[in-house]
């Protein structure tokens, strides 16, 4: 077995071997500029690029002319939100999102707020779900854009995106979906969602870093965007700059592999995470799963461990298992995850939350050994925890009783 055991697939994924082959070959042979004219090498690269665009379009159930290549989901999100807000500002200046979005959405909205747009950030319930009726009520005559993520990166919670799409369509409001985390893990279909804009990224689905895409609806309705990147007029003038051809070709291969594997992979990952969580629950008291019990990605577990110090737990676990905590820690202060805070996870529980995200190359042996290591680390830490000793002497209820009560 290779150490550390990698359970941080929601942060980024390794390249799939099939993708690596395509990427390597493209770096060697498909180096010409897809925008060059007059010689066959550029023509060949242009054809390869357009075939790749078709494959990527198929993957999200759309047509190639609605795919714009970018450097990743962050850029796609910036282009989608700023581009739509700027071009449709004469229709209204109200934008809607929800509290557990990725920073790429929240910070872009904040920048738009500084320009004079009005932002509504909807709350989520303690399972991490946005309320569809509340969203419908938040839409006014001034609303031009709604941005809701498909699946959350920290908890894996899946938003009711099809219901949301129904509402935005009825009300004539543009819907942007951040699908960086759902693409490759669950089915993403822009027609079923009725999404107008959708962002995704290759490196979250076994493709290379530095390449992503934005879906921009081309009919019913035709969505226009003001470009962020000005220059040579590439990508229908929506994103100028020489195309990252090897990235595009590798991204397409990643979509192809994901499409072929998704059904089996979903089941495999669901079984593995469920084995992991059951083992943890069997051997450790005072643990809680953050997020929705079933409306969740099949690979993601966000677990709080009671009666341990969050940083110490993470450090111990990281000796053998590569995982992330929900909290961003700088040298001195541990900042609680804003995602867990928005879900009203009480601070001590949010402080000890760790995200385990499994993926294509995760094995049963790895999951088993990772769980054993986690159990050992937490038991060790609890041995030296005075409050845990008190709890063991028969205090009823326990660390998580109240939290579980609130959630039920
Ligand atoms: C990773 C991620 C992003 C950012 O994607 P990049 O391609 O790294 O820029 C945005 N949203 C979500 C939900 C993500 O998980």
């Amino acid at each position: 077995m290779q150490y550390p055991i990698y359970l941080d697939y929601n942060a980024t994924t390794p390249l799939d071997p099939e993708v690596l082959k395509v990427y390597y070959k493209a770096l060697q042979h498909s180096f010409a500029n897809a925008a060059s004219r007059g010689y066959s090498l550029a023509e060949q690269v242009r054809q390869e690029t357009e075939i790749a665009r078709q494959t990527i379009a198929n993957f999200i159930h759309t047509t190639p002319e609605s795919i714009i290549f970018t450097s990743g989901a962050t850029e796609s999100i910036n282009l989608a939100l700023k581009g739509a807000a700027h071009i449709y500002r004469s229709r209204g200046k109200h934008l809607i999102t929800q509290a557990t979005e990725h920073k790429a959405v929240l910070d872009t909205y904040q920048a738009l707020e500084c320009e004079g747009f009005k932002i509504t950030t909807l709350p989520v319930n303690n399972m991490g779900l946005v309320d569809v009726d509340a969203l419908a009520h938040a839409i006014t005559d001034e609303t031009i854009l709604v941005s809701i993520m498909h699946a959350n990166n920290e908890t894996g919670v899946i938003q009711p995106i099809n219901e949301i799409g129904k509402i935005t369509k009825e009300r004539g409001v543009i819907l942007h979906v951040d699908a960086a985390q759902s693409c490759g893990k669950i089915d993403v279909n822009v027609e079923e969602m009725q999404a107008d804009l959708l962002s995704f990224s290759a490196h979250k689905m076994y493709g290379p870093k530095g390449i992503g895409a934005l879906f921009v609806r081309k009919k019913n309705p035709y969505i226009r965007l003001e470009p962020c990147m000005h220059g040579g007029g590439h990508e229908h003038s929506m994103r100028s700059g020489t195309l990252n051809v090897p990235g595009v070709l590798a991204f397409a291969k990643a979509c192809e592999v994901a499409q072929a594997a998704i059904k089996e992979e979903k089941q495999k990952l669901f079984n593995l995470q469920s084995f992991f969580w059951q083992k943890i629950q069997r051997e450790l008291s005072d643990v809680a799963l953050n997020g929705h019990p079933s409306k969740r990605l099949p690979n993601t577990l966000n677990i709080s461990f009671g009666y341990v110090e969050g940083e110490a737990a993470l450090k111990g676990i990281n000796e053998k298992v590569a995982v992330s905590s929900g909290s961003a820690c700088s040298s001195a202060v541990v900042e609680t995850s804003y995602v867990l805070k928005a879900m009203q996870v009480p601070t001590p529980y949010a402080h000890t939350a760790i995200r385990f995200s499994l993926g294509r190359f995760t094995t049963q042996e790895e999951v088993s050994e990772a769980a054993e290591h986690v159990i050992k680390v937490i038991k060790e830490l609890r041995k030296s925890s005075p409050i845990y000793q008190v709890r063991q002497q028969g205090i009823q209820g326990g660390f998580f009783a109240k939290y579980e009560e609130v959630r039920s």
Side-chain angles (χ1 to χ4, degrees):
M1 204 178 304
Q2 275 202 343
Y3 296 102
I5 296 168
Y6 188 74
L7 297 184
D8 205 16
Y9 279 82
N10 284 11
T12 194
T13 54
L15 283 178
D16 184 279
E18 292 299 309
V19 173
L20 177 59
K21 269 190 227 161
V22 168
Y23 196 32
Y24 189 79
K25 192 170 158 232
L27 284 165
Q28 280 186 301
H29 300 292
S30 305
F31 65 89
N33 192 324
S36 294
R37 302 280 149 179
Y39 51 89
S40 63
L41 198 56
E43 181 55 38
Q44 168 220 316
V45 164
R46 192 151 54 245
Q47 276 174 14
E48 287 174 338
T49 304
E50 292 319 307
I51 292 166
R53 200 188 295 277
Q54 177 76 60
T55 305
I56 294 164
N58 286 348
F59 180 69
I60 59 164
H61 301 267
T62 188
T63 47
E65 64 277 10
S66 48
I67 297 293
I68 302 293
F69 290 118
T70 66
S71 65
T74 300
E75 189 192 328
S76 296
I77 291 164
N78 272 264
L79 174 57
L81 304 184
K82 290 176 192 165
H86 288 163
I87 223 154
Y88 294 108
R89 75 199 315 163
S90 59
R91 287 192 195 166
K93 296 191 111 190
H94 182 226
L95 318 172
I96 299 173
T97 189
Q98 60 89 25
T100 67
E101 290 293 307
H102 192 273
K103 281 288 182 196
V105 169
L106 297 177
D107 286 7
T108 302
Y109 262 19
Q110 205 170 28
L112 288 166
E113 192 172 29
C114 294
E115 294 177 18
F117 288 92
K118 296 272 174 292
I119 312 291
T120 297
T121 307
L122 296 165
V124 291
N125 68 12
N126 44 37
M127 309 262 177
L129 289 175
V130 70
D131 185 81
V132 178
D133 291 331
L135 187 137
H137 278 113
I139 297 175
T140 69
D141 292 343
E142 283 283 299
T143 312
I144 53 170
L145 175 64
V146 171
S147 187
I148 303 286
M149 71 199 327
H150 192 195
N152 184 270
N153 42 305
E154 284 187 33
T155 59
V157 169
I158 300 168
Q159 298 295 350
I161 207 72
N162 294 1
E163 290 172 55
I164 291 166
K166 201 159 166 269
I167 290 165
T168 49
K169 183 64 61 176
E170 270 170 18
R171 305 287 294 273
V173 175
I174 296 167
L175 174 64
H176 168 257
V177 178
D178 174 0
Q181 210 54 251
S182 55
C183 277
K185 300 194 182 89
I186 53 173
D187 299 312
V188 172
N189 184 326
V190 292
E191 289 311 318
E192 277 175 13
M193 288 178 182
Q194 305 196 62
D196 299 304
L197 298 161
L198 182 134
S199 296
F200 56 124
S201 191
H203 80 93
K204 298 279 174 78
M205 45 181 290
Y206 311 96
K209 285 140 189 81
I211 183 78
L214 175 65
F215 158 75
V216 184
R217 183 170 287 286
K218 280 284 175 267
K219 58 174 194 261
N220 313 316
Y222 180 93
I223 303 291
R224 290 180 304 134
L225 294 177
E226 185 187 286
C228 290
M229 210 71 89
H230 300 269
H234 309 79
E235 303 295 285
H236 312 291
S237 286
M238 278 200 255
R239 203 278 192 178
S240 286
T242 301
L243 211 53
N244 171 2
V245 173
V248 167
L249 303 189
F251 191 7
K253 190 64 188 180
C255 289
E256 211 178 284
V257 175
Q259 202 154 23
I262 198 162
K263 206 164 160 229
E264 210 176 304
E265 212 160 276
K266 267 201 303 206
Q267 192 59 49
K268 175 196 125 170
L269 290 172
F270 178 82
N271 292 343
L272 287 178
Q273 63 86 35
S274 136
F275 170 87
F276 184 88
W277 176 226
Q278 276 164 22
K279 195 170 164 92
I280 296 282
Q281 278 180 297
R282 217 168 29 241
E283 308 248 351
L284 292 173
S285 64
D286 306 293
V287 290
L289 186 62
N290 301 307
H292 197 280
S294 61
K295 288 172 183 160
R296 227 175 60 238
L297 292 174
N299 77 317
T300 310
L301 289 166
N302 190 302
I303 302 173
S304 287
F305 299 92
Y307 302 97
V308 293
E309 212 243 311
E311 264 176 288
L314 186 66
K315 191 160 170 278
I317 292 169
N318 275 164
E319 276 166 19
K320 211 171 190 179
V321 187
V323 291
S324 296
S325 79
S327 346
C329 0
S330 60
S331 54
V333 278
V334 181
E335 248 182 83
T336 315
S337 146
Y338 69 89
V339 171
L340 299 182
K341 221 186 264 178
M343 290 161 62
Q344 285 123 50
V345 175
T347 310
Y349 317 75
H351 266 317
T352 67
I354 291 172
R355 175 184 73 185
F356 300 89
S357 50
L358 287 53
R360 184 169 293 160
F361 308 111
T362 307
T363 64
Q364 175 69 45
E365 292 70 36
E366 284 182 316
V367 168
S368 193
E369 191 169 332
E372 269 162 35
H373 179 68
V374 169
I375 291 158
K376 192 179 117 225
V377 167
I378 300 297
K379 279 187 174 165
E380 250 346 275
L381 289 171
R382 283 179 177 172
K383 264 192 211 154
S384 54
S385 156
I387 42 167
Y388 187 67
Q389 305 306 318
V390 173
R391 147 131 181 81
Q392 288 227 295
Q393 283 154 23
I395 305 296
Q396 289 302 303
F399 200 74
F400 287 103
K402 242 205 184 118
Y403 179 32
E404 289 302 325
E405 217 171 86
V406 171
R407 282 159 47 90
S408 61

